[in-house]
Structure formats: C-alpha cells, structure tokens
Amino acid sequence: MKRWLTVALALMFSFSAFASTPWAQWQQVGRATLSWGPFEVYHSSLLTPDGKYEAQKWPQALSIEYLRSIDSQELTKATEEQWQKLGMESDAQKNGWLEAVGKTWPDVSNGSEIVFLATKSGGQFYSRAANSAIIAPVGESFSPEFRDACLAIWLSPATQYPDLRSKLIGASASD
C-alpha cells in the first residue's frame, strides 16, 4: 500500500508540474521534424494561446523534443552556426548570448525536451529530461533581443530551414 501511495504522489506532483506550465493549454500552430540525411534529429512544435502564428505577437512557445543525444556544447555550436548564417553573430558575441546558452542548455537525449517560452518581456528556457513528466525552468530569463534572435533560427524568413519554418507557422501553400 505504501508503495502505491508513493507512486500516486509522484505522479500527482509530476502532472501538476507539467500542467502548471504556461503553454500546457495552448494550441499547436504547427509541427515539424528536422532530419539530417537519413536521421531524424528532433520534432518541433510552435504553440500559441489561440493556435495562430503572428510574428512579434506574444506569447509563443517553441518546443523541441530530441530524438538523439546531443551534448550542450554541440547545441551551442549549432546555435552559433545558425546565428552566423542569419548575420547575428556579432550581436550574439557582443551580448554574451552564446556564453549564456552554453551555461543554460543541458545535454539532451532521445525523448528529452527543451521549450523556449517567448513573452513580451523576453524569453525563458525550460527543460524536461527523457522519461520524465517534470519540466522546469533552466537558466535565467533572456531579453527581448535574445528572444528574437533565438526564435529567428526557426521562424525567420531567412532561416536555413524554410520548410521547417513553413510547417511550424502553419503556412498554407498560398502563403
């Protein structure tokens, strides 16, 4: 009996932690999978309160569920490469964004998740380990400038992955 009570309490706290996230009841705008050759790297979803995407309309949540293990250094390097391609590298260096990302992001594995919650005042990363229902904030809150640079990797018209962007923002063929 004691064992069942412990399991029930753990589940209750896990679900309440997940349900208390601001985006738990939001609607999905779009979903996309990033593949690298024959390998799927992650599934991503864009969420908003009304399920519609509008640039610079807050709040938004970008959720990335990883399908393979990637250490935080590799994630930081990939972010740096994307900011280079978007012409944002000097801003990232000047503002210390890469250093902050390197300190914030955890190593990820198959089934873990990182969510970036973008609000009018900036952004905050949240992380969920694989096989866990608990999602918690990681690192400090970021400025609106960082928020925009972070989301640009996936949502900018100049992104390296325009098909992924189209799926995330729910664009139709005529958009």
Side-chain angles (χ1 to χ4, degrees), residues 6-7 14 19-20 24 29-30 36 40 46-47 49-50 105-106 111 113 115 127 130 132 153-154 156 171-172:
T6 303
V7 169
S14 295
S20 67
V29 176
W36 189 260
E40 290 185 339
L46 182 63
L47 306 156
D50 64 2
W105 284 350
E113 178 182 23
V115 175
S127 178
S132 174
I153 293 169
W154 293 271
S156 167
S172 64

Side-chain angles (χ1 to χ4, degrees), residues 23-107:
W23 62 90
Q25 302 302 314
W26 293 359
Q27 297 176 41
Q28 183 174 283
V29 176
R31 182 172 171 83
T33 299
L34 178 70
S35 297
W36 189 260
F39 304 105
E40 290 185 339
V41 180
Y42 61 72
H43 296 304
S44 53
S45 299
L46 182 63
L47 306 156
T48 64
D50 64 2
K52 295 181 174 104
Y53 172 73
E54 187 176 326
Q56 300 295 307
K57 182 178 178 192
W58 314 115
Q60 300 174 12
L62 179 68
S63 169
I64 300 175
E65 182 181 352
Y66 289 88
L67 304 173
R68 55 190 333 96
S69 295
I70 306 171
D71 69 35
S72 63
Q73 291 177 332
E74 290 178 78
L75 290 173
T76 302
K77 178 79 172 142
T79 301
E80 179 179 22
E81 290 169 359
Q82 292 305 309
W83 280 339
Q84 286 172 345
K85 291 175 182 182
L86 289 166
M88 298 178 174
E89 184 182 22
S90 64
D91 286 341
Q93 289 174 344
K94 179 176 69 179
N95 294 307
W97 295 340
L98 286 171
E99 182 181 340
V101 164
K103 290 178 181 177
T104 301
W105 284 350
D107 295 339

